[in-house]
């Protein structure tokens, strides 16, 4: 510990009771808890702190941010709830799970928002701030009482918690600090070591005045004590600590760390939700290790700036989300035509148009594969976990530079803001690219000397004597001379296409989760991996012959997928993009629109792949998937 | 190892470049097109400055002017419409060692790429930008451009164009961080060369608007100015252009203009008749984006590893990092 860290470590006011007073903790294998408040009341920080404490206890954790679309939505509004949802488990947790078991709500309106979106388990426990009952505003008091009573009638276990009143005994403004009171309550409820809570406060407020830490610790202790004395229940989720070092980050930070680890030095971007935090993290990190984030004047400039930097020898990355990705399309075509390596990270959100900026959707797969104009082959891969986010960027850079191609990394809003522990990566020199080649180009060598089989050509970089040529977005021959003749045009299109085939030859079939054959194969991609595999595990425990396959490479697809599908009686994809429900009145087999991967699999492998998808802006829950798969198993 | 004097001389000879070392292919511009004059001036500049062809970059967008890089035996980047500037910025950021030139037209720069133009002025990256302004879309066969004088008859404005022409010089001089603005005309090659040369030597974003003739679509637009040298205002100054006695005799309308005087530069910029020619503004003290925001030190593997491990430490929750400075979820 550094001296500073020691100094700011708060003193333990009193030791945490080793045995809860008069209560025995009920053992659980997992639990889902939410803290939700008005924006600015600190529920997110409380949730993050709880996640960190749980991770330190050795529990599996998956946190999901509850984010309103606006920065300051009106107080006490149904759509304005802000907070965090934390899934706790004994072992590793791979997704946000099903409905919530326990909620702490700072007012009844934000709570209603969660009830109405169907995020709460029927009959779950609610700890509700009770101050509104005594509000001087009659409408607020009435609204509180009405909601409270309705929830009680609906079967929820509503416990009124006087958080405001208790906090006011410690601080003048309870708005600042109620979140730490809530954290104390949660430490009691889940039997977490209160010292870890105090340490977390020291870390969170480390840069602030010691008095800030002190008052927050008091609030934490008070919340703990209140819960110990007033709540009848207490849980314990036994931890099975990993033997390997663990890191906790969200998907966007993982992507940014991947950029650092890949050795990329230039990131050109334009702010867009939910991708922007990648560049926030990178901006700070680059200041320490070298490199720049260029905030361009628009998405088009971000893309073409990155293309210029890549062309000049530094593989660059641009980070965006759907609408920004659309704007980059012409630039992407240029990079394809010029065979300039480029990494594009698209953190998908709900679309089309401005859509749902803070919500999850997997709607950009088709535009990633087929986007831009003409035949513009590019590589598309999608991380399935937060850990994958890190490694996928390293892989993307390698492929981009080896094949001189555009590589699109498709993450999404769910991975972007979720946090979970994973094994700390071991640095490898192989992650980095060699220095820029400035050696002389031998006589007779051509800038597009396409290999007749693989389409690959050596890339010339400015500064190399003898390599002078003009890169052009026009059709061109091996010398990069503008060429309109039919043979050259076809030859160049073939070369650019065959690079995908050459990459495909290096891929290995994806592993099947579950038995290699059976009744039903579930195929997914991207952030749904954890939820799908959890559903499959549950169904297999019930005796169903279900397995799953997760696709990381969407373009090109790995070999062996057809053979895997053929070993199952039925195949279905689970995706977070639109597909028509065949039960809808107007939908039949001749007009049904399939979800993206289902469409790709059907057309490529001529197998009758079904699909089910959900575009509710929330991560797909394992129990929704289980229900769908059971139905699919039952169908003839 | 010692090098013999003869070998030294041979090397110097090898590294010295002639005009043909910069010439590539036969330009496919129309006879009488102003682009030809610009190409000749630029090739001469490259030779006179002895620029290493492999360290020299011409970046362009789309349009007649943007064919320019194909006729230079250097590295070239003939990209997409309107985006020459951000591509050039990316190149310069990645490789400050390269000499970067940009060739763009009135459609490319002032219409489809206008947003990039404004911001490129602000970035003030060290590059020489030539706006080939013929006041008409040529490659797509005669449509009005933003700089077409009001009333220009074109295929999209058969009754004459509706709007007043945009003035690229006033726009450029209106943007914060502007550091070099000049105007040339294709029919005075000596001054064109001098201006491009000054632009090249300025460290920063050197913007040269070159008024050029389009013999195909607007053959007579500049006839009155070519016929009457008094309708050209030549700007002279010891920190700007100095005219040869011969030129001074022909172009008698002159003004001694200090290129540091931005207010007078803005007034001159709005003149349309006489056409001002010369260096309107030259401020060597505006910082370049790549000097104040750059990749930084050379990054060795060891350096990257150390930086990365420090970042990993920050997020490691188990076991705790040795220094205790860990902030998961913060």
């Amino acid at each position: 510990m550094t001296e500073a860290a020691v100094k700011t470590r708060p003193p333990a006011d009193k030791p945490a009771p080793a045995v809860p007073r008069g209560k025995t903790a009920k053992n659980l294998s997992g639990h889902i808890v939410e803290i939700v408040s008005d924006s600015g009341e600190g529920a997110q920080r409380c949730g993050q702190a709880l996640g960190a404490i749980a991770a330190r206890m050795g529990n599996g954790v998956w946190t999901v941010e509850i984010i309103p679309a606006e920065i300051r939505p009106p107080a006490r509004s149904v759509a304005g709830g802000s907070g965090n949802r934390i899934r706790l488990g004994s072992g590793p947790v791979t997704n946000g799970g099903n409905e919530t078991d326990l909620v702490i709500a700072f007012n009844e309106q934000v709570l209603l928002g969660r009830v109405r979106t169907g995020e709460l388990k029927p009959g779950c426990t609610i700890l509700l701030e009770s101050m509104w009952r005594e509000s001087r505003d009659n409408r607020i008091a009435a609204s509180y009482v009405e909601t409270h009573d309705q929830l009680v009638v609906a079967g929820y276990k509503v416990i009124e918690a006087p958080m405001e009143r208790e906090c006011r005994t410690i601080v003048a403004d309870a708005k600042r600090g109620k979140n730490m009171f809530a954290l104390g309550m949660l430490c009691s409820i889940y039997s977490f070591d209160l010292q870890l809570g105090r340490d977390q406060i020291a870390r969170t407020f480390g840069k602030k005045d010691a008095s800030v830490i002190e008052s927050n610790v008091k609030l934490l202790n008070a919340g703990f004590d209140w819960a110990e004395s007033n709540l009848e229940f207490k849980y314990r989720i036994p931890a099975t600590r990993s033997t390997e070092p663990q890191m906790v980050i969200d998907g966007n930070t993982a992507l940014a760390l991947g950029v650092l680890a890949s050795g990329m030095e230039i990131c050109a971007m334009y702010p867009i939700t939910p991708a922007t935090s990648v560049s926030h993290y990178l901006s700070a990190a680059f200041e320490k290790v070298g490199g720049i984030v260029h905030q361009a004047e628009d998405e088009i400039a971000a893309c073409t700036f990155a293309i210029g930097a890549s062309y000049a020898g530094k593989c660059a990355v641009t980070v965006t989300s759907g609408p920004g990705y659309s704007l980059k399309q012409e630039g992407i075509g240029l990079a394809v035509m010029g065979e300039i390596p480029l990494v594009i990270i698209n953190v998908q959100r709900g679309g089309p148009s401005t859509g749902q900026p803070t919500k999850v959707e997997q709607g950009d797969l088709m535009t990633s594969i087929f986007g831009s104009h003409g035949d513009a082959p590019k590589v598309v891969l999608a991380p399935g976990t937060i850990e994958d986010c890190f490694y996928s960027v390293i892989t993307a850079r390698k492929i981009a530079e080896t094949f001189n191609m555009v590589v699109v990394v498709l993450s999404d809003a769910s991975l972007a803001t979720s946090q979970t522990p994973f094994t700390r990566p071991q640095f490898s020199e192989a992650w980095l690219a060699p220095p820029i080649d400035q050696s002389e180009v031998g006589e007779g060598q051509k800038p597009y000397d396409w290999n007749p089989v693989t389409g690959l050509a050596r890339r010339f970089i400015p500064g190399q004597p003898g390599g002078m040529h003009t890169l052009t977005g026009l059709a061109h021959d091996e010398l990069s001379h503008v060429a309109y003749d039919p043979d050259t045009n076809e030859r160049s299109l073939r070369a650019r296409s065959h690079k995908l085939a050459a990459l495909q030859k290096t891929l290995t079939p994806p592993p099947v989760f579950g038995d290699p054959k059976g009744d039903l194969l579930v195929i997914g991609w991207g952030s749904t991996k954890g939820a799908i595999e959890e559903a499959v595990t549950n169904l297999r425990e019930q005796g169903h012959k279900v397995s799953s396959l997760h696709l990381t490479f969407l373009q090109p697809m790995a070999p062996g997928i057809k053979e895997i599908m053929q070993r199952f009686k039925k195949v279905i994809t689970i995706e977070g993009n639109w597909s028509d429900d065949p039960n809808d009145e107007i939908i039949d087999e001749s007009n049904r629109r399939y979800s993206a991967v289902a469409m790709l699999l059907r057309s490529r492998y001529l197998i009758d792949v079904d699909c089910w998808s959900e575009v509710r802006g929330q991560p797909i829950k394992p129990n929704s998937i289980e229900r769908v798969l059971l139905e699919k198993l039952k169908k003839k | 190892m010692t090098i013999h004097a003869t070998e030294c001389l041979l090397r110097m000879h090898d590294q010295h470049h002639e005009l043909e070392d910069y010439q590539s292919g036969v330009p496919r511009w129309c006879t009488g097109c102003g682009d030809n004059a610009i190409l000749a001036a630029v090739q001469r500049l490259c030779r006179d400055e002895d620029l290493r062809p492999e360290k020299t970059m011409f970046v362009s967008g789309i349009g007649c002017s943007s064919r320019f890089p194909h006729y230079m035996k250097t590295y070239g980047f003939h990209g997409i419409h309107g985006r020459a500037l951000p591509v050039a910025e990316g190149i310069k950021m990645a490789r400050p060692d390269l000499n970067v030139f940009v060739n763009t037209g009135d459609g490319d720069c002032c219409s489809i790429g206008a947003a990039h133009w404004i911001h490129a002025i602000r970035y003030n990256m060290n590059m020489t930008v030539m706006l080939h302004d013929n006041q008409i879309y040529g490659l797509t066969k005669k449509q009005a451009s933003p700089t077409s004088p009001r009333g220009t008859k074109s295929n999209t404005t058969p009754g004459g164009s509706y709007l007043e022409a945009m003035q690229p010089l006033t726009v450029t001089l209106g943007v914060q961080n502007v550091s070099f603005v000049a105007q040339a005309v294709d029919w005075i090659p000596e001054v064109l060369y001098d201006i491009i040369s000054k632009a090249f030597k300025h460290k920063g974003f050197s913007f040269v608007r070159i008024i050029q003739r389009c013999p195909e679509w607007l053959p007579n637009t500049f006839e009155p100015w070519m016929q009457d040298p008094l309708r050209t205002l030549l700007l002279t100054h010891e920190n700007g252009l100095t005219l040869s006695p011969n030129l001074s005799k022909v172009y008698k309308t002159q003004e001694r203009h200090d290129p540091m005087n931005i207010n007078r530069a803005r007034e001159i910029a709005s003149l349309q008749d006489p056409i001002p020619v010369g260096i309107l503004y030259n401020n060597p003290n505006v910082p370049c984006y790549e000097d104040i925001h750059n990749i930084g030190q050379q990054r060795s593997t060891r350096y990257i590893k150390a930086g990365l491990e420090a970042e990993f430490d920050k997020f490691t929750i188990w076991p705790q990092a040795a220094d205790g400075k860990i902030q998961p979820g913060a």
Side-chain angles (χ1 to χ4, degrees):
Chain A
M1 281 228 160
T2 61
E3 225 178 301
V6 173
K7 257 189 233 159
T8 53
R9 192 184 170 109
D13 275 358
K14 45 190 133 176
V19 184
R21 298 162 208 157
K23 288 187 275 187
T24 45
K26 183 180 172 190
N27 270 348
L28 299 174
S29 62
H31 217 235
I32 300 177
V33 55
E34 278 187 15
I35 309 107
V36 56
S37 71
D38 282 343
S39 198
E41 285 189 309
Q44 283 190 0
R45 182 167 267 179
C46 171
Q48 285 162 359
L50 184 75
I53 294 165
R56 285 212 159 74
M57 292 290 292
N59 284 111
V61 183
W62 185 282
T63 69
V64 179
E65 284 183 13
I66 300 163
I67 321 168
E70 300 158 63
I71 298 290
R72 285 277 172 192
R76 293 176 42 80
S77 63
V78 172
S82 163
N84 221 301
R85 187 172 191 274
I86 306 104
R87 184 181 184 194
L88 304 165
S90 265
V93 176
T94 61
N95 66 90
N98 299 320
E99 288 77 13
T100 300
D101 298 295
L102 176 91
V103 192
I104 297 183
F106 287 14
N107 68 61
E108 85 288 352
Q109 294 299 314
V110 293
L111 176 66
L112 267 182
R114 302 302 292 165
V115 173
R116 287 184 191 160
T117 48
E119 289 298 315
L120 306 188
K121 191 175 278 178
C124 77
T125 305
I126 297 168
L127 287 158
L128 181 59
E129 167 63 71
S130 62
M131 65 183 276
W132 311 106
R133 192 179 277 282
E134 280 105 45
S135 173
R136 272 180 241 153
D137 185 330
N138 289 337
R139 281 168 306 179
I140 291 179
S143 149
Y144 175 86
V145 171
E146 187 191 351
T147 306
H148 172 271
D149 294 354
Q150 278 174 358
L151 290 171
V152 171
V153 170
Y156 292 98
K157 291 188 206 65
V158 187
I159 299 162
E160 295 186 75
M163 292 184 261
E164 177 86 8
R165 195 185 68 206
E166 295 290 324
C167 291
R168 291 282 282 272
T169 64
I170 297 163
V171 287
D173 180 8
K175 243 189 181 309
R176 299 191 168 275
K178 199 185 280 183
N179 58 344
M180 290 299 121
F181 185 88
L183 183 64
M185 287 162 63
L186 290 166
C187 284
S188 158
I189 291 169
Y190 292 108
S191 311
F192 287 156
D193 183 351
L194 197 55
Q195 187 56 44
L196 287 178
R198 295 187 193 105
D199 292 348
Q200 187 61 31
I201 287 175
R203 266 188 291 275
T204 307
F205 300 101
K207 284 178 191 157
K208 298 203 173 161
D209 198 75
S211 66
V212 175
I213 296 174
E214 199 184 318
S215 81
N216 276 291
V217 166
K218 277 188 186 158
L219 289 159
L220 176 88
N221 290 340
F224 187 91
D225 288 345
W226 185 89
E228 289 290 311
S229 311
N230 293 284
L231 297 180
E232 287 168 3
F233 57 90
K234 194 173 174 73
Y235 307 121
R236 185 186 303 280
I237 303 165
T240 45
R241 193 187 290 285
S242 163
T243 52
E244 287 171 316
Q246 298 288 300
M247 284 186 1
V248 178
I249 49 176
D250 64 30
N252 275 0
T253 308
L255 289 167
L257 276 176
V259 171
L260 286 188
S262 75
M264 284 192 281
E265 299 170 333
I266 294 180
C267 168
M269 51 70 70
Y270 184 81
I272 185 167
T273 304
T276 319
S277 68
V278 175
S279 55
H280 294 177
Y281 177 77
L282 264 185
S283 299
F286 273 156
E287 285 195 355
K288 284 177 264 173
V289 305
I292 72 146
V293 170
H294 170 62
Q295 182 179 326
E297 59 271 23
D298 59 34
E299 293 277 4
I300 295 171
C303 186
T304 44
F305 186 102
I307 287 172
S310 271
Y311 160 79
K314 310 258 184 193
C315 184
V317 58
T318 179
V319 184
T320 191
S321 187
Y325 189 81
S326 295
L327 284 164
K328 294 181 195 295
Q329 293 282 17
E330 193 194 8
I332 292 170
L334 170 65
V336 170
M337 192 58 144
E339 304 192 40
I340 300 165
L342 178 68
V343 176
I344 303 175
I345 295 173
N346 177 351
V347 185
Q348 298 166 96
R349 64 192 221 181
S353 191
T354 313
Q356 302 203 87
T358 58
K359 309 278 187 193
V360 61
E361 202 173 292
Q362 298 181 305
D364 295 349
L365 178 57
M366 289 311 209
T367 194
S368 299
I369 295 177
F370 301 111
S372 203
H373 42 280
D375 187 56
K378 46 202 130 21
V379 179
V380 180
L381 54 96
T385 63
I386 291 169
E387 185 177 17
D388 276 357
C389 286
F390 173 77
Y391 291 104
S392 64
V393 180
I394 300 170
T395 307
R397 193 232 168 125
K398 283 267 166 241
I399 294 171
E401 290 208 305
T402 307
F403 294 86
N404 293 333
M405 288 187 87
V406 174
V407 182
V408 183
V409 178
L410 278 180
S411 179
D412 65 37
S414 169
L415 289 172
T417 55
S418 296
Q419 299 199 22
T420 196
F422 65 87
T423 302
R424 177 180 166 135
Q426 298 281 320
F427 179 80
S428 159
E429 276 186 31
W431 289 350
L432 308 176
I436 296 176
D437 183 2
Q438 291 286 271
S439 62
E440 184 153 355
V441 173
E443 205 149 316
Q445 291 195 40
K446 301 167 189 166
Y448 294 100
D449 200 3
W450 296 302
N451 180 298
V453 178
T454 63
L456 287 165
R458 178 190 165 189
R459 164 185 171 214
F460 292 179
I461 293 167
Q464 286 187 289
M468 287 84 77
H469 68 285
T470 291
L471 181 143
T472 177
L474 283 162
H476 51 264
D477 63 13
E478 285 83 346
L479 292 166
S480 197
H481 290 166
V482 176
Y484 296 128
D485 68 285
D487 287 348
T488 304
N489 195 48
E490 283 203 327
R491 198 164 66 248
S492 61
L493 278 156
R494 184 181 301 114
R496 291 190 293 270
S497 178
H498 282 189
K499 291 195 290 184
L500 272 183
L503 169 61
Q504 192 261 3
K505 294 282 181 200
T506 70
L507 303 178
T508 50
V512 177
F513 182 83
D515 284 341
K517 58 179 187 171
D519 293 335
L520 178 59
L521 178 71
V522 192
I523 300 184
W525 64 282
S527 65
T528 52
K529 185 180 187 194
I532 290 174
E533 292 183 353
E534 185 168 325
V536 166
T537 303
N538 290 344
L539 291 175
R540 292 179 64 79
E541 278 170 6
Q542 294 164 29
H544 298 289
K545 290 177 180 156
V546 183
S547 300
S548 67
L549 188 69
H550 201 76
L551 304 181
T552 301
F553 279 88
L554 284 318
Q555 178 78 331
M557 282 196 188
I561 291 171
K562 182 171 191 174
E563 291 69 22
I564 294 170
M565 289 196 289
Q566 282 171 332
R567 294 197 292 263
F568 290 83
K569 289 181 188 153
K570 295 173 187 168
V571 183
I572 187 169
T573 70
I574 301 283
E575 298 178 63
N577 51 60
W578 179 259
S579 66
D580 288 330
D581 183 343
N583 299 317
D584 283 348
E585 192 182 340
I586 200 169
I587 299 302
D588 57 44
E589 205 42 50
S590 71
N591 65 11
R592 181 183 180 198
R593 293 172 68 225
Y594 283 80
S595 55
V597 161
M599 209 186 304
L600 294 170
L601 293 171
R602 290 173 69 89
S603 66
R604 180 176 291 281
Y605 301 111
L606 302 178
I607 285 178
D608 189 12
V609 178
D610 195 3
C611 64
W612 180 84
S613 61
E614 196 177 73
V615 285
R616 299 174 59 80
Q618 304 290 335
I620 302 177
K621 293 182 168 56
N623 60 9
S624 303
I625 300 172
E626 277 177 54
R627 179 178 49 77
V628 170
L629 299 185
L630 279 172
E631 271 171 35
K632 182 71 185 169
L633 280 164
K634 264 187 250 157
K635 267 191 212 150
K636 234 174 47 91
Chain B
M1 195 179 97
T2 53
I3 302 171
H4 291 291
T6 44
E7 203 179 322
C8 264
L9 279 171
L10 274 173
R11 280 195 187 180
M12 275 174 68
H13 178 75
D14 273 355
Q15 284 166 10
H16 180 74
H17 297 98
E18 301 297 335
L19 264 186
E20 52 263 36
D21 292 326
Y22 302 99
Q23 294 168 337
S24 170
V26 180
R28 297 199 192 161
W29 291 310
C30 307
T31 308
C33 172
D35 287 331
N36 293 296
I38 301 169
L39 181 66
V42 168
Q43 286 172 341
R44 202 182 129 201
L45 173 84
C46 289
R47 181 201 58 192
D48 293 353
E49 298 300 325
D50 210 4
L51 301 185
R52 285 165 63 188
E54 73 273 14
K55 288 277 197 183
T56 304
M57 271 298 328
F58 284 83
V59 184
S60 66
I62 293 295
C64 292
S65 60
S66 292
R67 284 296 185 113
F68 198 99
H70 289 281
Y71 309 132
M72 294 297 302
K73 209 187 279 175
T74 61
Y75 280 92
F77 194 110
H78 178 204
I80 46 179
H81 202 22
R83 321 300 169 202
L85 288 170
V87 168
E89 289 154 13
I91 291 170
K92 191 68 189 175
M93 184 60 83
R95 297 289 302 278
D97 58 315
L98 301 176
N99 307 306
V100 177
F101 294 83
V102 175
N103 299 89
T104 179
D106 39 316
D108 201 55
C109 177
C110 307
S111 194
I112 192 169
H116 309 310
W117 169 32
I118 304 295
H119 289 273
I121 299 163
R122 242 183 108 226
Y123 299 136
N124 192 41
M125 298 187 79
N126 188 15
M127 56 181 71
T128 306
V129 180
M130 288 163 267
L131 168 62
H132 301 224
D133 190 352
N134 58 7
Q135 309 185 343
I136 196 80
Y137 282 82
L139 198 63
T140 49
K141 300 193 165 86
K142 202 178 191 185
Q143 296 82 26
S145 97
T147 60
S148 299
R150 187 171 173 194
T152 301
K153 289 195 159 89
S154 77
N155 284 318
T156 47
T157 54
S161 59
Y162 311 99
L163 303 174
E164 286 299 329
M166 177 187 244
Q167 299 301 324
L169 296 180
T170 59
V171 173
T172 306
L173 281 163
V175 179
Q176 196 69 32
N177 270 3
V178 60
S179 73
F180 186 102
V181 181
Q183 178 153 278
V185 290
D186 77 53
W187 57 87
I188 316 179
E190 190 182 323
V191 175
L192 173 64
Y193 172 85
D194 284 348
I195 288 173
I196 293 175
S197 170
K198 293 274 186 208
F200 172 71
K201 284 170 187 157
H202 168 74
K203 185 166 188 288
F205 185 84
S206 315
F207 182 81
V208 184
R209 181 201 189 198
I210 303 163
I211 295 175
Q212 65 166 99
R213 291 161 294 174
C214 177
E216 184 71 17
W217 308 121
L218 295 178
N220 303 315
T221 303
F222 300 110
E223 261 325 286
W225 284 273
M226 294 182 65
Q227 297 298 335
D228 181 1
L230 293 179
R231 289 176 70 178
T232 302
L233 169 67
L234 276 162
L235 307 173
T236 61
H237 196 269
E238 55 272 25
N239 295 330
L241 285 186
T242 45
L243 295 183
S244 67
N246 283 345
L247 269 179
S248 271
K249 260 184 249 168
V250 182
Y251 293 96
K252 288 187 179 135
T253 314
Q254 294 183 12
E255 177 178 333
R256 189 171 174 279
H257 166 64
D258 179 357
M260 282 296 276
N261 183 349
I262 196 163
N263 291 328
R264 181 59 194 149
R266 284 175 176 149
E267 285 167 13
I268 296 170
S270 58
L271 294 176
Q272 288 164 59
D273 193 7
I275 293 175
V277 166
I279 293 159
L280 283 85
Y281 188 59
N282 183 358
N283 181 352
N285 303 319
V286 183
C288 293
Y289 184 61
E290 70 270 30
D291 290 340
I292 51 182
H293 186 47
N294 54 37
I295 292 166
Q297 60 276 65
Q298 277 295 316
R299 309 189 326 149
S300 65
T301 301
R302 215 159 145 203
Y303 188 70
I304 295 173
K305 178 175 193 277
L308 205 54
E309 293 289 359
E311 293 302 306
F312 290 164
D313 283 350
K314 250 171 60 177
F315 299 115
T316 298
I317 49 142
W318 180 262
Q320 296 210 351
D323 66 357
K325 277 195 225 156
I326 35 182
Q327 280 188 307

